[in-house]
PDB file of all heavy atoms in Angstrom:
ATOM      1  N   ILE A  24       6.125  16.690  -7.915  1.00 64.00           N
ATOM      2  CA  ILE A  24       5.413  17.747  -7.184  1.00 64.00           C
ATOM      3  C   ILE A  24       6.399  18.612  -6.404  1.00 64.00           C
ATOM      4  O   ILE A  24       6.266  19.844  -6.362  1.00 64.00           O
ATOM      5  CB  ILE A  24       4.360  17.132  -6.240  1.00 64.00           C
ATOM      6  CG1 ILE A  24       3.285  16.409  -7.051  1.00 64.00           C
ATOM      7  CG2 ILE A  24       3.747  18.205  -5.356  1.00 64.00           C
ATOM      8  CD1 ILE A  24       2.492  17.327  -7.937  1.00 64.00           C
ATOM      9  N   LEU A  38       2.354  36.516  -5.676  1.00 79.00           N
ATOM     10  CA  LEU A  38       1.107  36.939  -6.300  1.00 79.00           C
ATOM     11  C   LEU A  38      -0.036  36.960  -5.293  1.00 79.00           C
ATOM     12  O   LEU A  38      -0.871  37.881  -5.285  1.00 79.00           O
ATOM     13  CB  LEU A  38       0.762  35.996  -7.458  1.00 79.00           C
ATOM     14  CG  LEU A  38       1.639  36.111  -8.706  1.00 79.00           C
ATOM     15  CD1 LEU A  38       1.254  35.040  -9.715  1.00 79.00           C
ATOM     16  CD2 LEU A  38       1.517  37.497  -9.326  1.00 79.00           C
ATOM     17  N   GLY A  60      -7.436  57.181 -10.824  1.00 78.00           N
ATOM     18  CA  GLY A  60      -6.071  57.049 -11.340  1.00 78.00           C
ATOM     19  C   GLY A  60      -6.030  56.465 -12.738  1.00 78.00           C
ATOM     20  O   GLY A  60      -5.272  56.927 -13.592  1.00 78.00           O
ATOM     21  N   VAL A  64      -4.731  58.355 -16.495  1.00 81.00           N
ATOM     22  CA  VAL A  64      -3.593  57.839 -17.254  1.00 81.00           C
ATOM     23  C   VAL A  64      -3.972  57.712 -18.719  1.00 81.00           C
ATOM     24  O   VAL A  64      -5.036  57.178 -19.056  1.00 81.00           O
ATOM     25  CB  VAL A  64      -3.140  56.476 -16.687  1.00 81.00           C
ATOM     26  CG1 VAL A  64      -2.043  55.876 -17.553  1.00 81.00           C
ATOM     27  CG2 VAL A  64      -2.643  56.639 -15.265  1.00 81.00           C
ATOM     28  N   THR A  65      -3.096  58.189 -19.598  1.00 85.00           N
ATOM     29  CA  THR A  65      -3.299  58.059 -21.041  1.00 85.00           C
ATOM     30  C   THR A  65      -2.362  56.996 -21.596  1.00 85.00           C
ATOM     31  O   THR A  65      -1.343  56.655 -20.975  1.00 85.00           O
ATOM     32  CB  THR A  65      -3.041  59.399 -21.738  1.00 85.00           C
ATOM     33  OG1 THR A  65      -1.668  59.802 -21.505  1.00 85.00           O
ATOM     34  CG2 THR A  65      -3.956  60.482 -21.180  1.00 85.00           C
ATOM     35  N   LEU A  70       2.927  54.299 -22.579  1.00 92.00           N
ATOM     36  CA  LEU A  70       3.939  53.893 -23.555  1.00 92.00           C
ATOM     37  C   LEU A  70       5.285  54.535 -23.255  1.00 92.00           C
ATOM     38  O   LEU A  70       6.337  53.874 -23.314  1.00 92.00           O
ATOM     39  CB  LEU A  70       3.471  54.267 -24.965  1.00 92.00           C
ATOM     40  CG  LEU A  70       4.423  53.901 -26.118  1.00 92.00           C
ATOM     41  CD1 LEU A  70       4.635  52.391 -26.174  1.00 92.00           C
ATOM     42  CD2 LEU A  70       3.868  54.413 -27.447  1.00 92.00           C
ATOM     43  N   ALA A  71       5.269  55.819 -22.912  1.00 92.00           N
ATOM     44  CA  ALA A  71       6.524  56.500 -22.578  1.00 92.00           C
ATOM     45  C   ALA A  71       7.163  55.909 -21.326  1.00 92.00           C
ATOM     46  O   ALA A  71       8.381  55.695 -21.277  1.00 92.00           O
ATOM     47  CB  ALA A  71       6.268  57.994 -22.387  1.00 92.00           C
ATOM     48  N   ALA A  72       6.346  55.616 -20.311  1.00 90.00           N
ATOM     49  CA  ALA A  72       6.881  55.041 -19.076  1.00 90.00           C
ATOM     50  C   ALA A  72       7.471  53.658 -19.315  1.00 90.00           C
ATOM     51  O   ALA A  72       8.558  53.330 -18.819  1.00 90.00           O
ATOM     52  CB  ALA A  72       5.782  54.975 -18.018  1.00 90.00           C
ATOM     53  N   LEU A  78      14.429  50.766 -21.384  1.00 93.00           N
ATOM     54  CA  LEU A  78      15.744  51.266 -21.779  1.00 93.00           C
ATOM     55  C   LEU A  78      16.683  51.381 -20.577  1.00 93.00           C
ATOM     56  O   LEU A  78      17.841  50.948 -20.638  1.00 93.00           O
ATOM     57  CB  LEU A  78      15.598  52.621 -22.465  1.00 93.00           C
ATOM     58  CG  LEU A  78      14.998  52.603 -23.881  1.00 93.00           C
ATOM     59  CD1 LEU A  78      14.842  54.023 -24.412  1.00 93.00           C
ATOM     60  CD2 LEU A  78      15.863  51.780 -24.826  1.00 93.00           C
ATOM     61  N   ALA A  84      21.433  46.723 -16.699  1.00 92.00           N
ATOM     62  CA  ALA A  84      21.842  45.316 -16.751  1.00 92.00           C
ATOM     63  C   ALA A  84      23.116  45.149 -17.558  1.00 92.00           C
ATOM     64  O   ALA A  84      23.995  44.334 -17.193  1.00 92.00           O
ATOM     65  CB  ALA A  84      20.718  44.472 -17.346  1.00 92.00           C
ATOM     66  N   ARG A  92      31.862  40.775 -15.680  1.00 89.00           N
ATOM     67  CA  ARG A  92      32.863  40.142 -16.533  1.00 89.00           C
ATOM     68  C   ARG A  92      34.260  40.648 -16.202  1.00 89.00           C
ATOM     69  O   ARG A  92      35.237  39.900 -16.285  1.00 89.00           O
ATOM     70  CB  ARG A  92      32.534  40.412 -17.994  1.00 89.00           C
ATOM     71  CG  ARG A  92      31.263  39.723 -18.471  1.00 89.00           C
ATOM     72  CD  ARG A  92      31.015  39.932 -19.939  1.00 89.00           C
ATOM     73  NE  ARG A  92      32.029  39.271 -20.764  1.00 89.00           N
ATOM     74  CZ  ARG A  92      32.036  39.267 -22.080  1.00 89.00           C
ATOM     75  NH1 ARG A  92      31.077  39.932 -22.741  1.00 89.00           N
ATOM     76  NH2 ARG A  92      32.967  38.627 -22.745  1.00 89.00           N
ATOM     77  N   ALA A  93      34.372  41.919 -15.819  1.00 89.00           N
ATOM     78  CA  ALA A  93      35.681  42.439 -15.422  1.00 89.00           C
ATOM     79  C   ALA A  93      36.190  41.769 -14.151  1.00 89.00           C
ATOM     80  O   ALA A  93      37.407  41.641 -13.952  1.00 89.00           O
ATOM     81  CB  ALA A  93      35.598  43.950 -15.224  1.00 89.00           C
ATOM     82  N   ASP A  97      30.693  35.696 -15.535  1.00 82.00           N
ATOM     83  CA  ASP A  97      29.959  35.939 -16.778  1.00 82.00           C
ATOM     84  C   ASP A  97      28.463  35.797 -16.530  1.00 82.00           C
ATOM     85  O   ASP A  97      28.027  34.915 -15.791  1.00 82.00           O
ATOM     86  CB  ASP A  97      30.408  34.952 -17.853  1.00 82.00           C
ATOM     87  CG  ASP A  97      29.934  35.383 -19.237  1.00 82.00           C
ATOM     88  OD1 ASP A  97      29.461  36.537 -19.353  1.00 82.00           O
ATOM     89  OD2 ASP A  97      30.026  34.586 -20.183  1.00 82.00           O
ATOM     90  N   ASN A 114      13.460  46.692  -4.541  1.00 86.00           N
ATOM     91  CA  ASN A 114      13.928  47.924  -3.901  1.00 86.00           C
ATOM     92  C   ASN A 114      12.789  48.909  -3.670  1.00 86.00           C
ATOM     93  O   ASN A 114      12.792  49.664  -2.688  1.00 86.00           O
ATOM     94  CB  ASN A 114      15.006  48.599  -4.762  1.00 86.00           C
ATOM     95  CG  ASN A 114      16.338  47.883  -4.679  1.00 86.00           C
ATOM     96  OD1 ASN A 114      16.595  47.106  -3.760  1.00 86.00           O
ATOM     97  ND2 ASN A 114      17.192  48.131  -5.646  1.00 86.00           N
ATOM     98  N   GLY A 120      15.369  50.001   0.548  1.00 80.00           N
ATOM     99  CA  GLY A 120      15.739  50.382  -0.804  1.00 80.00           C
ATOM    100  C   GLY A 120      16.931  49.651  -1.382  1.00 80.00           C
ATOM    101  O   GLY A 120      17.360  49.967  -2.494  1.00 80.00           O
ATOM    102  N   ILE A 121      17.485  48.659  -0.674  1.00 86.00           N
ATOM    103  CA  ILE A 121      18.655  47.933  -1.188  1.00 86.00           C
ATOM    104  C   ILE A 121      18.480  46.415  -1.109  1.00 86.00           C
ATOM    105  O   ILE A 121      19.384  45.674  -1.522  1.00 86.00           O
ATOM    106  CB  ILE A 121      19.936  48.319  -0.426  1.00 86.00           C
ATOM    107  CG1 ILE A 121      19.791  47.967   1.061  1.00 86.00           C
ATOM    108  CG2 ILE A 121      20.246  49.798  -0.603  1.00 86.00           C
ATOM    109  CD1 ILE A 121      21.078  48.115   1.843  1.00 86.00           C
ATOM    110  N   THR A 160      24.180  64.783 -13.476  1.00 92.00           N
ATOM    111  CA  THR A 160      23.483  65.857 -12.771  1.00 92.00           C
ATOM    112  C   THR A 160      24.309  67.133 -12.752  1.00 92.00           C
ATOM    113  O   THR A 160      23.791  68.239 -12.978  1.00 92.00           O
ATOM    114  CB  THR A 160      23.154  65.414 -11.340  1.00 92.00           C
ATOM    115  OG1 THR A 160      22.367  64.221 -11.375  1.00 92.00           O
ATOM    116  CG2 THR A 160      22.394  66.501 -10.601  1.00 92.00           C
ATOM    117  N   VAL A 162      26.653  68.030 -14.889  1.00 93.00           N
ATOM    118  CA  VAL A 162      26.715  68.598 -16.247  1.00 93.00           C
ATOM    119  C   VAL A 162      25.429  69.339 -16.581  1.00 93.00           C
ATOM    120  O   VAL A 162      25.451  70.448 -17.142  1.00 93.00           O
ATOM    121  CB  VAL A 162      26.995  67.476 -17.266  1.00 93.00           C
ATOM    122  CG1 VAL A 162      26.812  67.991 -18.695  1.00 93.00           C
ATOM    123  CG2 VAL A 162      28.402  66.942 -17.091  1.00 93.00           C
ATOM    124  N   ALA A 173      24.113  83.448 -19.642  1.00 67.00           N
ATOM    125  CA  ALA A 173      24.177  84.037 -20.984  1.00 67.00           C
ATOM    126  C   ALA A 173      22.956  84.896 -21.254  1.00 67.00           C
ATOM    127  O   ALA A 173      23.061  85.992 -21.818  1.00 67.00           O
ATOM    128  CB  ALA A 173      24.281  82.923 -22.022  1.00 67.00           C
ATOM    129  N   GLY A 184      14.699  96.490 -15.628  1.00 51.00           N
ATOM    130  CA  GLY A 184      15.091  97.607 -16.477  1.00 51.00           C
ATOM    131  C   GLY A 184      13.933  98.107 -17.310  1.00 51.00           C
ATOM    132  O   GLY A 184      13.707  99.319 -17.437  1.00 51.00           O
ATOM    133  N   ALA A 204      12.378 125.381 -28.075  1.00 48.00           N
ATOM    134  CA  ALA A 204      12.266 124.933 -29.463  1.00 48.00           C
ATOM    135  C   ALA A 204      13.633 124.625 -30.021  1.00 48.00           C
ATOM    136  O   ALA A 204      14.623 125.277 -29.697  1.00 48.00           O
ATOM    137  CB  ALA A 204      11.592 126.025 -30.298  1.00 48.00           C
TER     138      ALA A 204
END
Side-chain angles (χ1 to χ4, degrees):
I24 296 296
L38 289 175
V64 175
T65 61
L70 180 61
L78 288 177
R92 292 184 67 178
D97 194 11
N114 285 341
I121 61 171
T160 302
V162 170

